[in-house]
């Protein structure tokens, strides 16, 4: 039985071209990029090329790319790093009114939400901004939450469970209009992990100061991510204007490292660089850039076909998140569907037994099909949040596959 994978938002297979790009760096070109000799220089050159390829795709300088071990780490670096660098500037744990504030949306990935909660335990004030029924963040609530203590706003580009796309440019404008010219805060972080496959992520157009990507969501290897860090905010000019002693982070970035040790990644992420994975990441980015438009329209058609048929088979189904109509703000590959009366876990097991891999939402929750906090955040009942399934399409998905999945769903509901 050929299995059908409809969980591309959880992870993707490594593309053959990506495998080929990584292979030399496991054995033949194995040097430590930090070594001075020719072996090290070869590795260092490969990382430099990868940085440049990715920088071109993001429309930034290669010096603004920091490779990490995952997007989770990159998100941690953005949140904890900004808070770390502002410590001596505005932080005084004894005074509640001088607590730094960060603003995040209520449907961020766990790597942002759990980090925010952890920072909250450390005395940081966190504002969780709600979303509407379609999963679009309340921009007015972001504006209202900004104050002079706000150091960071973090909003994802597209949601991993429901695919809703956020109005990043609008949020960026609000943040920048508020930004204090002296302190250069608040900063704006965008988690673009799910968006990059289908949406161009040029940082100048998005207007963000930080942006997170992950290789394994775009047919690259697991275990490598990156954080774009804008160099536009100039620490020196900030210091000059403040005319007071300032705790300088070890680099000229407005962010401190969370992993210390060596001086890799411009002093912001210690640890020997993973040359093969970084080379693979860049190859994956290059491929996405080439096929994005074509794949977007192909996947959109397949998604609309699948959704239309699903509604015919089971008229009670409802979509979680924004509608699939052309003007909708949603990624083309994610369909999060409410199947009334069908507990997520039971349904997923029945699908799996029949050879179809789908998911309850985020992969991190997959071993326990808990109710989805994202579906709950849309204002739906706990029942709906525990009777919803996420189907995500990808490069290998065909209409033939989807027809088979539809037959399987029909059998699960109505028997043979
Ligand atoms: N952010 C989003 C939106 C995600 O979907 C994921 C993974 O599911 C992550 C961050 C974390 O990525 P990684 O697996 O590279 O840590």
């Amino acid at each position: 039985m050929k299995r059908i994978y409809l969980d591309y938002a959880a992870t993707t297979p490594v593309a053959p071209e990506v495998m080929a790009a990584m292979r030399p760096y496991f054995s033949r070109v194995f040097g430590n990029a930090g070594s001075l000799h020719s072996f090290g220089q070869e590795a260092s050159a490969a990382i430099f090329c990868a940085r440049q390829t990715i920088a071109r795709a993001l429309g930034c300088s290669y010096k603004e790319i920091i490779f990490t071990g995952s997007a989770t780490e990159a998100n941690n670096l953005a949140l904890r790093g900004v808070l770390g660098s502002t410590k001596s500037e505005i932080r005084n744990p004894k005074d509640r009114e001088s607590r730094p504030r960060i603003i995040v949306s209520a449907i961020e990935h766990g790597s942002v939400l759990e980090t925010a909660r952890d920072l909250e335990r450390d005395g940081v004030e966190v504002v969780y901004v709600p979303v509407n029924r379609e999963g679009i963040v309340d921009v007015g609530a972001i504006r209202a939450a900004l104050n002079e203590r706000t150091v960071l706003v973090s909003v994802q580009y597209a949601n991993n469970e429901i695919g809703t796309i956020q109005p990043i440019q609008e949020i960026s404008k609000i943040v920048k209009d508020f930004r204090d010219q002296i302190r250069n805060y608040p900063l704006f972080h965008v988690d673009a992990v799910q968006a990059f496959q289908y949406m161009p992520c040029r940082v100048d157009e998005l207007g963000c100061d930080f942006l997170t990507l992950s290789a394994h969501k775009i047919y690259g290897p697991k275990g490598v991510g990156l954080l774009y860090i804008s160099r536009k905010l100039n620490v020196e000019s900030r210091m000059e204007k403040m005319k007071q002693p300032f705790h300088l982070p070890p680099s000229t970035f407005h962010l401190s490292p969370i992993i210390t040790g060596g001086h890799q990644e411009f002093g912001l992420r210690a640890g020997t660089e993973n040359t093969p994975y970084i080379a693979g990441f860049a190859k994956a980015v290059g491929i996405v850039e080439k096929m994005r438009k074509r794949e977007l329209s192909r996947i959109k058609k397949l998604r609309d076909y699948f959704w239309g048929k699903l509604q015919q088979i089971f008229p009670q189904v409802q979509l979680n998140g924004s509608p699939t109509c052309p003007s909708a703000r949603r990624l083309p590959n994610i369909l999060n569907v409410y199947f009334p009366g069908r507990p997520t876990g039971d349904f997923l097991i029945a699908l799996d037994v029949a050879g179809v891999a789908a998911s309850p939402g985020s992969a991190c929750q997959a071993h326990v099909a808990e109710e989805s906090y994202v579906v709950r955040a849309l204002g739906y009942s706990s029942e709906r949040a525990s009777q919803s399934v996420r189907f995500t399409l990808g490069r290998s998905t065909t209409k033939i596959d989807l027809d088979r999945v539809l037959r399987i769903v029909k059998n699960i509901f109505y028997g043979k």
Side-chain angles (χ1 to χ4, degrees):
M1 178 181 68
K2 185 193 161 215
R3 290 182 302 160
I4 300 174
Y5 185 75
L6 290 183
D7 201 12
Y8 287 90
T11 195
T12 56
V14 173
E17 304 91 321
V18 172
M19 276 298 280
M22 293 198 299
R23 204 165 279 125
Y25 302 104
F26 284 111
S27 49
R28 192 167 50 77
V29 191
F30 66 89
N32 181 329
S35 301
L36 286 178
H37 48 62
S38 62
F39 290 80
Q41 282 169 23
E42 277 177 323
S44 172
I47 292 171
F48 179 71
C49 288
R51 226 186 275 284
Q52 279 197 316
T53 303
I54 297 174
R56 260 195 308 276
L58 298 183
C60 66
S61 157
Y62 72 93
K63 292 180 189 164
E64 296 176 307
I65 306 282
I66 305 295
F67 289 113
T68 61
S70 61
T72 296
E73 187 194 323
N75 284 344
N76 268 265
L77 177 58
L79 270 69
R80 295 183 194 277
V82 168
L83 263 307
S85 80
T86 60
K87 240 176 212 157
S88 62
E89 202 178 348
I90 40 180
R91 205 158 175 200
N92 174 4
K94 286 189 195 123
D95 177 8
R96 285 182 69 80
E97 286 316 301
S98 77
R99 285 185 306 167
R101 169 181 284 194
I102 64 172
I103 301 172
V104 299
S105 91
I107 60 167
E108 292 302 304
H109 185 262
S111 52
V112 168
L113 280 184
E114 288 306 319
T115 305
R117 284 190 194 115
D118 194 45
L119 289 167
E120 212 170 5
R121 285 188 283 273
D122 260 2
V124 173
E125 188 186 12
V126 182
V127 177
Y128 301 90
V129 175
V131 295
N132 66 16
R133 267 282 149 103
E134 292 190 5
I136 310 283
V137 69
D138 182 343
V139 175
I142 293 182
R143 189 186 286 109
L146 289 169
N147 67 9
E148 71 286 353
R149 290 183 286 112
T150 311
V151 293
L152 186 73
V153 176
S154 180
V155 178
Q156 62 194 186
Y157 198 176
N159 183 263
N160 46 302
E161 290 198 33
I162 56 172
T164 304
I165 295 165
Q166 302 298 345
I168 294 300
Q169 286 163 322
E170 196 183 337
I171 299 168
S172 157
K173 184 164 181 336
I174 290 169
V175 171
K176 284 192 178 148
D177 285 351
F178 187 85
R179 191 176 280 175
D180 179 338
Q181 291 309 312
I182 297 173
R183 289 171 41 250
N184 272 332
Y185 291 108
L187 298 162
F188 183 36
H189 169 243
V190 173
D191 175 346
V193 165
Q194 294 291 342
F196 186 75
Q197 182 73 28
Y198 299 102
M199 317 277 297
C201 289
R202 293 191 62 88
V203 291
D204 44 349
E205 285 166 14
L206 292 174
C208 55
D209 303 301
F210 306 108
L211 181 126
T212 298
L213 292 186
S214 178
H216 77 98
K217 308 287 183 178
I218 59 165
Y219 303 84
K222 292 165 189 60
V224 59
L226 70 82
L227 186 68
Y228 152 78
I229 304 178
S230 169
R231 277 186 183 252
K232 289 199 187 89
L233 302 171
N234 185 324
V235 173
E236 275 83 9
S237 77
R238 213 155 32 110
M239 286 172 67
E240 209 178 285
K241 282 176 189 160
M242 288 175 67
K243 292 202 179 4
Q244 63 182 53
F246 188 77
H247 161 79
L248 252 187
S251 72
T252 53
F253 295 106
H254 32 277
L255 162 136
S256 336
I258 55 171
I259 298 178
T260 46
H263 296 288
Q264 293 91 349
E265 298 302 302
F266 309 105
L268 279 177
R269 203 274 186 175
T272 304
E273 291 94 341
N274 190 336
T275 316
Y277 283 20
I278 290 172
F281 195 175
K283 186 71 186 175
V285 164
I287 296 171
V288 168
E289 289 287 292
K290 277 198 201 116
M291 65 188 298
R292 186 184 276 128
K293 251 194 184 155
R294 197 168 11 108
E295 195 54 7
L296 181 124
S297 92
R298 190 186 76 87
I299 292 287
K300 208 183 237 174
K301 277 188 207 130
L302 283 177
R303 187 258 336 251
D304 289 345
Y305 171 77
F306 185 61
W307 175 230
K309 290 282 181 190
L310 212 48
Q311 285 172 293
Q312 279 174 19
I313 296 170
F314 199 64
Q316 298 98 311
V317 291
Q318 288 172 43
L319 198 62
N320 293 319
S322 107
T324 60
C325 62
S327 62
R329 293 201 291 207
R330 68 153 53 229
L331 290 178
N333 62 325
I334 299 181
L335 268 182
N336 192 311
V337 184
Y338 168 38
F339 291 89
R342 296 273 159 180
T344 308
D346 296 353
F347 187 28
L348 286 175
I349 290 167
L351 283 171
D352 192 37
V353 167
V356 178
S359 144
S362 72
C364 320
Q365 295 171 291
H367 294 293
V368 269
E370 305 162 337
E371 64 171 44
S372 157
Y373 71 89
V374 173
V375 176
R376 288 289 276 152
L378 305 181
Y380 291 123
S381 65
S382 165
E383 198 176 69
R384 180 164 177 152
S386 51
Q387 297 181 356
S388 294
V389 166
R390 179 186 73 174
F391 299 98
T392 49
L393 284 53
R395 281 185 199 161
S396 305
T397 310
T398 63
K399 183 162 170 293
I400 294 170
D401 287 344
L402 295 180
D403 280 333
R404 208 177 117 214
V405 174
L406 289 162
R407 282 197 298 278
I408 288 167
V409 172
K410 203 168 176 178
N411 285 343
I412 292 173
F413 285 136
Y414 304 116
K416 288 197 197 251

mmCIF file of all heavy atoms in Angstrom, residues 114-136:
data_model
loop_
_atom_site.group_PDB
_atom_site.id
_atom_site.type_symbol
_atom_site.label_atom_id
_atom_site.label_comp_id
_atom_site.label_asym_id
_atom_site.label_seq_id
_atom_site.Cartn_x
_atom_site.Cartn_y
_atom_site.Cartn_z
ATOM 1 N N GLU A 114 5.977 29.603 24.359
ATOM 2 C CA GLU A 114 6.573 29.051 25.582
ATOM 3 C C GLU A 114 7.755 29.891 26.043
ATOM 4 O O GLU A 114 8.009 30.011 27.236
ATOM 5 C CB GLU A 114 6.994 27.585 25.369
ATOM 6 C CG GLU A 114 5.827 26.629 25.277
ATOM 7 C CD GLU A 114 4.872 26.726 26.471
ATOM 8 O OE1 GLU A 114 5.336 26.850 27.615
ATOM 9 O OE2 GLU A 114 3.642 26.705 26.251
ATOM 10 N N THR A 115 8.482 30.466 25.086
ATOM 11 C CA THR A 115 9.603 31.340 25.451
ATOM 12 C C THR A 115 9.068 32.590 26.129
ATOM 13 O O THR A 115 9.603 33.053 27.147
ATOM 14 C CB THR A 115 10.425 31.700 24.188
ATOM 15 O OG1 THR A 115 10.810 30.489 23.561
ATOM 16 C CG2 THR A 115 11.661 32.498 24.529
ATOM 17 N N ALA A 116 7.976 33.128 25.577
ATOM 18 C CA ALA A 116 7.363 34.313 26.187
ATOM 19 C C ALA A 116 6.905 33.985 27.615
ATOM 20 O O ALA A 116 7.124 34.775 28.541
ATOM 21 C CB ALA A 116 6.180 34.777 25.340
ATOM 22 N N ARG A 117 6.303 32.805 27.776
ATOM 23 C CA ARG A 117 5.836 32.421 29.125
ATOM 24 C C ARG A 117 7.009 32.285 30.093
ATOM 25 O O ARG A 117 6.925 32.663 31.258
ATOM 26 C CB ARG A 117 5.054 31.100 29.053
ATOM 27 C CG ARG A 117 3.676 31.332 28.478
ATOM 28 C CD ARG A 117 2.753 30.129 28.582
ATOM 29 N NE ARG A 117 1.619 30.390 27.704
ATOM 30 C CZ ARG A 117 1.319 29.694 26.623
ATOM 31 N NH1 ARG A 117 2.028 28.642 26.281
ATOM 32 N NH2 ARG A 117 0.286 30.030 25.880
ATOM 33 N N ASP A 118 8.103 31.745 29.581
ATOM 34 C CA ASP A 118 9.281 31.590 30.426
ATOM 35 C C ASP A 118 9.832 32.955 30.831
ATOM 36 O O ASP A 118 10.208 33.179 31.981
ATOM 37 C CB ASP A 118 10.344 30.778 29.665
ATOM 38 C CG ASP A 118 11.437 30.295 30.585
ATOM 39 O OD1 ASP A 118 11.113 29.797 31.683
ATOM 40 O OD2 ASP A 118 12.623 30.443 30.230
ATOM 41 N N LEU A 119 9.847 33.870 29.868
ATOM 42 C CA LEU A 119 10.331 35.226 30.163
ATOM 43 C C LEU A 119 9.412 35.911 31.174
ATOM 44 O O LEU A 119 9.852 36.670 32.036
ATOM 45 C CB LEU A 119 10.412 36.053 28.872
ATOM 46 C CG LEU A 119 11.533 35.642 27.895
ATOM 47 C CD1 LEU A 119 11.329 36.281 26.533
ATOM 48 C CD2 LEU A 119 12.897 36.036 28.469
ATOM 49 N N GLU A 120 8.134 35.592 31.069
ATOM 50 C CA GLU A 120 7.144 36.157 31.994
ATOM 51 C C GLU A 120 7.480 35.738 33.430
ATOM 52 O O GLU A 120 7.430 36.550 34.352
ATOM 53 C CB GLU A 120 5.761 35.619 31.603
ATOM 54 C CG GLU A 120 4.633 36.563 31.862
ATOM 55 C CD GLU A 120 3.329 36.070 31.229
ATOM 56 O OE1 GLU A 120 3.264 34.952 30.667
ATOM 57 O OE2 GLU A 120 2.354 36.825 31.315
ATOM 58 N N ARG A 121 7.860 34.465 33.583
ATOM 59 C CA ARG A 121 8.244 33.977 34.916
ATOM 60 C C ARG A 121 9.477 34.716 35.436
ATOM 61 O O ARG A 121 9.707 34.811 36.623
ATOM 62 C CB ARG A 121 8.511 32.459 34.850
ATOM 63 C CG ARG A 121 7.244 31.615 34.745
ATOM 64 C CD ARG A 121 7.543 30.129 34.881
ATOM 65 N NE ARG A 121 8.108 29.560 33.675
ATOM 66 C CZ ARG A 121 7.400 29.075 32.662
ATOM 67 N NH1 ARG A 121 6.079 29.071 32.709
ATOM 68 N NH2 ARG A 121 7.991 28.571 31.594
ATOM 69 N N ASP A 122 10.258 35.245 34.495
ATOM 70 C CA ASP A 122 11.477 35.984 34.852
ATOM 71 C C ASP A 122 11.205 37.470 35.087
ATOM 72 O O ASP A 122 12.143 38.262 35.226
ATOM 73 C CB ASP A 122 12.463 35.898 33.683
ATOM 74 C CG ASP A 122 13.525 34.856 33.915
ATOM 75 O OD1 ASP A 122 13.459 34.200 34.963
ATOM 76 O OD2 ASP A 122 14.396 34.707 33.040
ATOM 77 N N GLY A 123 9.955 37.873 35.024
ATOM 78 C CA GLY A 123 9.616 39.266 35.321
ATOM 79 C C GLY A 123 9.317 40.130 34.109
ATOM 80 O O GLY A 123 9.068 41.322 34.247
ATOM 81 N N VAL A 124 9.355 39.542 32.915
ATOM 82 C CA VAL A 124 9.030 40.320 31.717
ATOM 83 C C VAL A 124 7.505 40.388 31.593
ATOM 84 O O VAL A 124 6.807 39.410 31.894
ATOM 85 C CB VAL A 124 9.633 39.643 30.456
ATOM 86 C CG1 VAL A 124 9.167 40.318 29.181
ATOM 87 C CG2 VAL A 124 11.152 39.638 30.535
ATOM 88 N N GLU A 125 7.001 41.522 31.167
ATOM 89 C CA GLU A 125 5.556 41.636 30.961
ATOM 90 C C GLU A 125 5.235 41.202 29.526
ATOM 91 O O GLU A 125 5.842 41.713 28.575
ATOM 92 C CB GLU A 125 5.107 43.073 31.178
ATOM 93 C CG GLU A 125 3.602 43.208 31.158
ATOM 94 C CD GLU A 125 3.160 44.670 31.239
ATOM 95 O OE1 GLU A 125 4.002 45.570 31.091
ATOM 96 O OE2 GLU A 125 1.957 44.863 31.431
ATOM 97 N N VAL A 126 4.329 40.247 29.377
ATOM 98 C CA VAL A 126 3.990 39.761 28.040
ATOM 99 C C VAL A 126 2.531 40.072 27.741
ATOM 100 O O VAL A 126 1.647 39.774 28.546
ATOM 101 C CB VAL A 126 4.221 38.231 27.910
ATOM 102 C CG1 VAL A 126 3.915 37.763 26.488
ATOM 103 C CG2 VAL A 126 5.657 37.858 28.285
ATOM 104 N N VAL A 127 2.290 40.674 26.579
ATOM 105 C CA VAL A 127 0.914 40.921 26.145
ATOM 106 C C VAL A 127 0.612 39.938 25.013
ATOM 107 O O VAL A 127 1.329 39.909 24.011
ATOM 108 C CB VAL A 127 0.732 42.380 25.657
ATOM 109 C CG1 VAL A 127 -0.696 42.598 25.149
ATOM 110 C CG2 VAL A 127 1.068 43.363 26.768
ATOM 111 N N TYR A 128 -0.404 39.108 25.216
ATOM 112 C CA TYR A 128 -0.812 38.140 24.195
ATOM 113 C C TYR A 128 -1.970 38.768 23.423
ATOM 114 O O TYR A 128 -3.063 38.946 23.967
ATOM 115 C CB TYR A 128 -1.241 36.821 24.834
ATOM 116 C CG TYR A 128 -0.133 36.188 25.656
ATOM 117 C CD1 TYR A 128 0.011 36.475 27.025
ATOM 118 C CD2 TYR A 128 0.781 35.320 25.063
ATOM 119 C CE1 TYR A 128 1.035 35.910 27.775
ATOM 120 C CE2 TYR A 128 1.818 34.738 25.820
ATOM 121 C CZ TYR A 128 1.925 35.051 27.162
ATOM 122 O OH TYR A 128 2.941 34.497 27.908
ATOM 123 N N VAL A 129 -1.732 39.094 22.164
ATOM 124 C CA VAL A 129 -2.739 39.811 21.381
ATOM 125 C C VAL A 129 -3.686 38.803 20.724
ATOM 126 O O VAL A 129 -3.243 37.840 20.090
ATOM 127 C CB VAL A 129 -2.050 40.689 20.317
ATOM 128 C CG1 VAL A 129 -3.060 41.347 19.428
ATOM 129 C CG2 VAL A 129 -1.185 41.731 20.992
ATOM 130 N N PRO A 130 -5.002 39.013 20.872
ATOM 131 C CA PRO A 130 -5.957 38.047 20.315
ATOM 132 C C PRO A 130 -6.056 38.101 18.792
ATOM 133 O O PRO A 130 -5.585 39.050 18.155
ATOM 134 C CB PRO A 130 -7.289 38.474 20.947
ATOM 135 C CG PRO A 130 -7.116 39.912 21.277
ATOM 136 C CD PRO A 130 -5.664 40.132 21.554
ATOM 137 N N VAL A 131 -6.685 37.066 18.235
ATOM 138 C CA VAL A 131 -6.954 37.026 16.796
ATOM 139 C C VAL A 131 -8.463 36.929 16.595
ATOM 140 O O VAL A 131 -9.194 36.565 17.513
ATOM 141 C CB VAL A 131 -6.271 35.808 16.114
ATOM 142 C CG1 VAL A 131 -4.766 35.915 16.194
ATOM 143 C CG2 VAL A 131 -6.741 34.479 16.726
ATOM 144 N N ASN A 132 -8.931 37.230 15.389
ATOM 145 C CA ASN A 132 -10.365 37.112 15.130
ATOM 146 C C ASN A 132 -10.711 35.688 14.676
ATOM 147 O O ASN A 132 -9.848 34.805 14.660
ATOM 148 C CB ASN A 132 -10.832 38.180 14.126
ATOM 149 C CG ASN A 132 -10.219 37.974 12.732
ATOM 150 O OD1 ASN A 132 -9.686 36.905 12.423
ATOM 151 N ND2 ASN A 132 -10.297 38.992 11.898
ATOM 152 N N ARG A 133 -11.966 35.462 14.294
ATOM 153 C CA ARG A 133 -12.432 34.125 13.907
ATOM 154 C C ARG A 133 -11.622 33.512 12.764
ATOM 155 O O ARG A 133 -11.501 32.304 12.627
ATOM 156 C CB ARG A 133 -13.904 34.203 13.469
ATOM 157 C CG ARG A 133 -14.909 33.921 14.563
ATOM 158 C CD ARG A 133 -15.017 32.422 14.801
ATOM 159 N NE ARG A 133 -15.337 32.154 16.195
ATOM 160 C CZ ARG A 133 -16.531 31.821 16.642
ATOM 161 N NH1 ARG A 133 -17.525 31.697 15.827
ATOM 162 N NH2 ARG A 133 -16.715 31.588 17.925
ATOM 163 N N GLU A 134 -11.067 34.401 11.919
ATOM 164 C CA GLU A 134 -10.285 33.895 10.781
ATOM 165 C C GLU A 134 -8.825 33.669 11.144
ATOM 166 O O GLU A 134 -8.044 33.184 10.338
ATOM 167 C CB GLU A 134 -10.379 34.871 9.605
ATOM 168 C CG GLU A 134 -11.762 34.931 9.010
ATOM 169 C CD GLU A 134 -11.803 35.715 7.712
ATOM 170 O OE1 GLU A 134 -10.728 36.126 7.222
ATOM 171 O OE2 GLU A 134 -12.902 35.906 7.204
ATOM 172 N N GLY A 135 -8.467 34.077 12.351
ATOM 173 C CA GLY A 135 -7.080 33.881 12.780
ATOM 174 C C GLY A 135 -6.191 35.065 12.458
ATOM 175 O O GLY A 135 -4.964 34.970 12.525
ATOM 176 N N ILE A 136 -6.817 36.204 12.108
ATOM 177 C CA ILE A 136 -6.024 37.401 11.817
ATOM 178 C C ILE A 136 -5.832 38.186 13.121
ATOM 179 O O ILE A 136 -6.802 38.461 13.841
ATOM 180 C CB ILE A 136 -6.722 38.322 10.772
ATOM 181 C CG1 ILE A 136 -7.168 37.535 9.539
ATOM 182 C CG2 ILE A 136 -5.828 39.515 10.421
ATOM 183 C CD1 ILE A 136 -6.115 37.177 8.548
#
